[in-house]
Structures are given as structure tokens and as C-alpha cells.
Amino acid sequence: MRNVAWQLRDGDEIADMDVVRSPPPGAKKPRKAPMLVAVTEGGYGKRMPIDLFATKGRGGKGMIAIKFKNDEDRLLALTQARGDGEVLLITQKGTLVRQSVNKISEQGRMATGVQLQRLDADDGVASVAVVAPDPDAAAAANYTDAAT
């Protein structure tokens, strides 16, 4: 017997996945709910509310997270991020870009997104990392602001 987690269509691939934890029934929705950030190899990206993605059961089909500018582009990362966090993009040529999650345009699932990194024709985004906010740095910044 074969266990099937997802039913993929011909040509479909799993690009990324993340575990999204639902709040317990009756719990208040968090003020700063995490968003999903999608980034393509072509340097485009967007953020979306997690609520745009319905819960899928065993053997379910996936959902479209982003439309592509061209047929060669592919989804590189789809991950959770809080608005006060940052996203790091590293290109194949070694360029590193650091961007605040809040600065990435919030769009729907069927949108292409915005250009997060301008790339040369022979370059592409190789890796994406989400950096959570550092509570110690925020406390230090607030202390410095209060002292001046």
C-alpha cells in the first residue's frame, strides 16, 4: 500500500513547504499574524495573508501561490515571515539583498509580485532566508531613542 500526501498534476513540482499552526478554537487572532512570502528565481516576490490558502487534507492538490513573468521563472521559496522581520536574497553571482518584510507588496495569490532584486540576464536568486526580528536590538533602539 502506498501513502500519498499530495496528488501532483503532470509537470507540477513541490518547490517549498512550511508548517502553519492554527490558533486554538476561540483564541484571538494575533495582532501581527505571519504572512507568506513568495520569491521566484527571477527576483520577483510578494507577501500574502496565510488566510488565502485553505487547509488541505491528505491526497489534496496544491494551490497556486504566484504567477510568473515568463515560462523560465520558478518558485524558489514560500515561507512564513512576520512584518517586522527581514528577507535575505542571495543571487547565484553572490549579491546579497536584505529587505524588510513590510516593504514587500501585499498581493493576492494570482499576482506576479514585485521585483525584489534586479538581476543580470545570466543571474538568478539562489537562496532565500527569513530573519526574525531581534528583540534585544529593538530594546536597545528604544533605549537609545529615549535617552536622546
Side-chain angles (χ1 to χ4, degrees):
M1 178 175 219
R2 193 173 127 218
N3 288 327
V4 177
W6 290 296
Q7 293 286 333
L8 298 179
R9 295 174 194 96
D10 287 342
D12 282 356
E13 296 177 16
I14 298 173
D16 201 356
M17 65 176 273
D18 205 343
V19 175
V20 177
R21 304 221 184 272
S22 299
K28 283 186 173 180
K29 189 174 182 179
R31 283 186 328 143
K32 292 184 179 181
M35 303 284 281
L36 289 175
V37 175
V39 179
T40 71
E41 290 177 356
Y44 286 85
K46 63 182 177 178
R47 63 188 170 102
M48 301 163 282
I50 288 177
D51 298 348
L52 292 180
F53 294 85
T55 302
K56 298 291 184 182
R58 188 172 201 76
K61 301 233 188 285
M63 296 179 74
I64 293 173
I66 193 166
K67 290 287 187 177
F68 301 112
K69 279 282 192 188
N70 57 54
D71 291 339
E72 289 80 40
D73 205 0
R74 300 169 56 107
L75 180 66
L76 181 66
L78 180 67
T79 188
Q80 295 179 71
R82 288 189 15 203
D84 50 356
E86 294 180 319
V87 175
L88 298 178
L89 305 176
I90 303 169
T91 69
Q92 295 167 354
K93 289 185 173 182
T95 302
L96 178 82
V97 176
R98 187 174 184 157
Q99 186 166 5
S100 172
V101 172
N102 281 336
K103 301 289 186 203
I104 299 172
S105 178
E106 182 177 332
Q107 299 181 2
R109 290 188 313 109
M110 302 306 278
T112 303
V114 295
Q115 191 173 39
L116 299 179
Q117 173 62 29
R118 190 176 311 250
L119 300 166
D120 294 336
D122 60 343
D123 200 5
V125 177
S127 184
V128 177
V130 174
V131 180
D134 181 2
D136 293 335
N142 290 338
Y143 176 76
T144 304
D145 290 343
T148 55

